[in-house]
């Protein structure tokens, strides 16, 4: 397996892992329309992952045969689905970041440009979906407001990593951070929610996912994701 | 300047006439996903195809269908390549394609605006059943990633809308 240092690997891992997490909602989403929406977003992300991981090596080997420490995804995307509010908070934080990042990459000239230019139009729908739910839950009932705020607070400590430089990407990270913060602040204000005030890192999460350090739930998720391929090597439909 | 031969035009029309596997009322030419077809050697053809969505699972079926129809036409070697750039947009769907979508009960996509900025969802979308423009969005994602689910407030029928991309 040849996991090279191309930035396609960490970005592909983000897409793959979040796709898998969203796929876990299949059969469990609160309403049928939402089941379909989350599965469609997962499918878009899986399409991104296949193209990005193919730039870094063999897509199946990279997805199914790497160990936990070899994955370079953000810790944010591996966080468990939690309740629906947690999933929406994760979607809001990530899709806002991904849209800004892909817009940047789409404007450059690199091996990632074609994929970024293609995917950013789909990601705009992911971000819109997350924003509409954030508004509805935040400005909804006392219960939905409280749970949405709790989810935003709980995931806040994983957002600092979004702006850690990725090797091989020439991106103005501090500008990306300001744009992301402005966008999140605007939507949370409209949703009558509060921008969390806690640290955006804990001591051991600074850039950690990009270095292969992951949180405890990730290993179990990988075990499930890789189980079939590892049990039946070379199996095809 | 690369010119197209009569044979290439004939084969391109043939490949373009393949129906979309998920929306069989549309051909690949009407969907606007067939980018190029070149005869690179006697009995060898290269086809360029672009996906509608990055994760669109139909692309593999499209490739296989194109290979089959060209093989049936006597071309021994067919290579279908997937290209991402420039990205496909719903503006690539032909006027005939839009007409067929509406006839099939799917509201066709509106012309797209600038690539950036918020996703426009509020401009009038016409109900394919009764023609009313009084329709509301039920879900941003429907039976496939490329469609949204709407409901007509006049005839009360739910329907799919091919989202602008």
């Amino acid at each position: 397996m040849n996991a090279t240092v191309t930035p396609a690997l960490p970005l592909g891992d983000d897409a793959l892992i979040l796709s898998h997490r969203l796929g876990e909602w299949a059969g469990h989403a609160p309403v049928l329309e939402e089941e379909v929406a989350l599965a469609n977003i997962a499918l878009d992300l899986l399409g991104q992952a296949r193209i990005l991981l193919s730039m870094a090596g063999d897509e199946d080997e990279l997805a199914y045969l790497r160990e936990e420490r070899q994955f370079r995804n953000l810790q944010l995307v591996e966080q468990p689905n939690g309740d629906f509010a947690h999933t929406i908070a994760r979607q809001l934080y990530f899709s806002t970041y991904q849209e800004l990042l892909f817009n940047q990459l789409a404007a450059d000239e690199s091996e990632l440009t074609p994929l970024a230019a293609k995917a950013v139009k789909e990601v705009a729908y992911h971000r819109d979906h997350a924003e509409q739910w954030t508004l509805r839950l935040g400005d909804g009932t006392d219960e939905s407001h409280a749970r949405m705020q709790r989810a935003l607070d709980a995931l806040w400590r994983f957002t600092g990593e979004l702006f850690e430089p990725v090797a091989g990407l020439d991106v103005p990270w501090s500008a990306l951070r300001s744009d992301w913060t402005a966008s999140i602040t605007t939507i949370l204000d409209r949703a009558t929610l509060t921008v969390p005030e806690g640290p955006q890192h804990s001591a051991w999460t600074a850039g950690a996912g990009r270095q292969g350090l992951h949180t405890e739930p990730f290993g179990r998720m990988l075990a499930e994701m890789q189980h079939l391929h590892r049990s039946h090597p070379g199996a095809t439909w | 300047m690369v010119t197209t031969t009569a044979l290439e035009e004939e084969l391109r029309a043939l490949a373009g006439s393949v129906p979309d596997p998920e929306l069989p009322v549309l051909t690949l030419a009407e969907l606007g996903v067939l980018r190029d077809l070149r005869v690179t050697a006697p009995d060898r053809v290269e086809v360029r195809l672009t996906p509608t969505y990055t994760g669109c699972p139909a692309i593999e079926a499209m490739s296989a269908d194109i290979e089959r129809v060209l093989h049936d036409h006597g071309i021994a070697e067919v290579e279908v390549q997937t290209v991402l750039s420039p990205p496909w947009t719903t503006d690539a769907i032909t006027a005939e394609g839009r007409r067929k979508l509406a006839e099939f009960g799917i509201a066709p996509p509106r012309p797209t605006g600038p690539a950036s900025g918020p996703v426009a969802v509020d401009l009038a979308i016409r109900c394919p059943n009764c023609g009313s423009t009084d329709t509301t969005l039920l879900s941003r994602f429907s039976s496939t990633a490329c469609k949204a689910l709407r409901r007509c407030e006049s005839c009360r029928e739910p329907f799919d809308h091919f989202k602008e991309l």
Side-chain angles (χ1 to χ4, degrees):
Chain A
M1 171 178 347
N2 182 21
T4 55
V5 290
T6 167
L9 185 69
L11 302 190
D13 283 348
D14 286 347
L16 174 70
I17 300 309
L18 186 56
S19 171
H20 189 84
R21 279 295 188 210
L22 291 173
E24 291 174 353
W25 274 108
H28 304 281
V31 290
L32 185 59
E33 287 82 359
E34 216 30 53
E35 174 114 359
V36 171
L38 294 172
N40 271 315
I41 294 170
L43 182 62
D44 285 346
L45 289 165
L46 191 63
Q48 293 176 17
R50 292 191 61 183
I51 290 167
L52 288 164
L53 293 183
S54 294
M55 289 178 187
D58 179 277
E59 54 174 325
D60 284 337
E61 285 186 16
L62 288 170
Y64 294 124
L65 297 177
R66 273 182 300 164
E67 303 290 336
E68 180 181 336
R69 288 280 181 120
Q70 294 174 296
F71 279 82
R72 291 292 179 268
N73 54 282
L74 298 162
Q75 292 186 346
L76 175 66
V77 298
E78 75 201 31
Q79 295 311 305
N81 287 335
D83 64 9
F84 187 66
H86 277 77
T87 291
I88 292 302
R90 194 182 59 200
Q91 284 302 108
L92 180 71
Y93 289 159
F94 182 76
S95 60
T96 302
Y97 159 79
Q98 202 186 31
E99 187 182 19
L100 290 167
L101 179 62
F102 280 9
N103 259 322
Q104 191 80 44
L105 299 177
D108 292 343
E109 291 286 336
S110 78
E111 59 165 355
L112 300 178
T113 304
L115 181 270
K118 172 85 191 145
V120 74
K121 300 197 292 174
E122 299 160 12
V123 174
Y125 279 103
H126 305 174
R127 196 249 313 133
D128 186 56
H129 170 264
E131 286 190 355
Q132 297 306 321
W133 270 112
T134 300
L135 290 172
R136 190 165 162 189
L137 295 174
D139 199 12
T141 64
D142 289 346
E143 172 77 8
S144 73
H145 178 92
R147 287 171 76 160
M148 191 66 216
Q149 187 65 55
R150 192 168 65 202
L152 291 163
D153 293 347
L155 292 172
W156 187 247
R157 67 193 169 102
F158 298 107
T159 56
E161 195 186 1
L162 302 175
F163 314 105
E164 295 288 333
V166 175
L169 285 191
D170 183 22
V171 169
W173 295 100
S174 60
L176 189 83
R177 182 179 206 131
S178 324
D179 291 347
W180 182 89
T181 307
S183 180
I184 295 293
T185 303
T186 303
I187 197 73
L188 296 190
D189 282 350
R190 280 183 60 203
T192 73
L193 293 158
T194 309
V195 178
E197 285 182 350
Q200 282 176 277
H201 283 125
S202 39
W204 48 276
T205 59
R210 295 283 189 231
Q211 295 163 33
L213 293 177
H214 296 283
T215 53
E216 189 265 342
F218 185 53
R220 276 177 285 141
M221 194 212 92
L222 266 194
E224 186 175 292
M225 188 179 93
Q226 297 182 333
H227 168 74
L228 186 80
H229 189 93
R230 287 181 184 266
S231 303
H232 304 277
T236 56
W237 290 105
Chain B
M1 172 92 194
V2 185
T3 53
T4 309
T5 65
L7 176 62
E8 284 171 337
E9 275 178 26
E10 181 195 341
L11 294 176
R12 182 170 177 143
L14 201 61
S17 68
V18 168
D20 177 288
E22 287 190 9
L23 290 168
V25 290
L26 288 193
T27 66
L28 299 189
E30 287 161 349
L31 190 60
V33 293
L34 188 64
R35 284 278 164 85
D36 199 15
L37 183 147
R38 294 283 159 202
V39 176
T40 53
D43 276 348
R44 181 179 154 76
V45 166
E46 280 181 20
V47 181
R48 290 175 163 241
L49 195 62
T50 195
T52 54
Y53 274 68
T54 313
C56 183
I59 193 92
E60 286 168 24
M62 289 180 190
S63 299
D65 289 348
I66 289 174
E67 284 175 26
R68 187 175 39 73
V69 75
L70 293 179
H71 284 318
D72 289 352
H73 201 68
I75 306 296
E77 214 180 326
V78 179
E79 187 190 342
V80 182
Q81 298 167 348
T82 303
V83 293
L84 292 177
S85 189
W88 182 83
T89 150
T90 40
D91 292 341
I93 301 177
T94 64
E96 177 64 3
R98 282 159 204 274
R99 192 191 62 75
K100 285 186 180 175
L101 277 175
E103 196 177 273
F104 190 59
I106 298 171
R110 297 156 296 177
T112 59
S116 58
V119 178
V121 291
D122 291 331
L123 294 174
I125 294 165
R126 195 171 289 278
C127 169
N129 304 303
C130 74
S132 167
T133 53
D134 186 13
T135 66
T136 51
L137 181 69
L138 295 182
S139 177
R140 277 165 180 71
F141 297 87
S142 184
S143 52
T144 62
C146 58
K147 298 192 220 93
L149 185 65
R150 298 185 75 89
R151 181 177 55 216
C152 175
E153 300 300 345
S154 295
C155 71
R156 306 300 291 170
E157 283 290 325
F159 65 91
D160 268 342
H161 165 228
F162 205 120
K163 284 187 292 198
E164 293 74 28
L165 192 71

